[in-house]
Amino acid sequence: MSKILSTLLITLLGVVYVKGYDIVKSRLREHLPQFYLIMAAVRIVLIATMIALVIIFTEDKAEARQFVLYTLIIYGLMMVTTLALRH
């Protein structure tokens, strides 16, 4: 269940980034660097919080390690995909 929620959160973050990038680019092009930095901070905080909560509340440490690895791989794929779509 946690992997499904992780995938949904990361997908949502990717969609928000792509749509937000389009809006900022069309209206306030000079603010793109600030938008990117804000979104990067939001993504890092949300993903780190999710990982920390799973590590804290999961009793099976092997499962927690698998979740962290899975989440980081999916996060990396999302970053590559969103950067390829918008840069």
Side-chain angles (χ1 to χ4, degrees):
M1 180 68 169
S2 60
K3 289 182 181 180
I4 293 170
L5 292 175
S6 171
T7 303
L8 289 175
L9 175 65
I10 291 172
T11 303
L12 177 66
L13 289 172
V15 169
V16 168
Y17 174 77
V18 170
K19 295 297 181 187
Y21 182 91
D22 290 340
I23 292 168
V24 172
K25 187 176 179 183
S26 67
R27 297 182 184 173
L28 301 167
R29 190 176 199 79
E30 65 275 3
H31 293 290
L32 277 175
Q34 289 92 347
F35 171 76
Y36 181 76
L37 290 175
I38 290 168
M39 282 302 298
V42 167
R43 285 190 308 250
I44 289 170
V45 168
L46 286 176
I47 299 299
T49 302
M50 180 180 59
I51 287 173
L53 288 173
V54 168
I55 289 172
I56 290 169
F57 292 115
T58 302
E59 294 180 13
D60 184 12
K61 295 306 173 188
E63 182 181 332
R65 271 184 253 136
Q66 288 176 350
F67 174 79
V68 170
L69 183 60
Y70 173 81
T71 301
L72 292 177
I73 289 170
I74 295 296
Y75 179 75
L77 289 172
M78 183 269 299
M79 289 300 300
V80 168
T81 303
T82 55
L83 289 175
L85 287 173
R86 295 296 172 233
H87 292 280

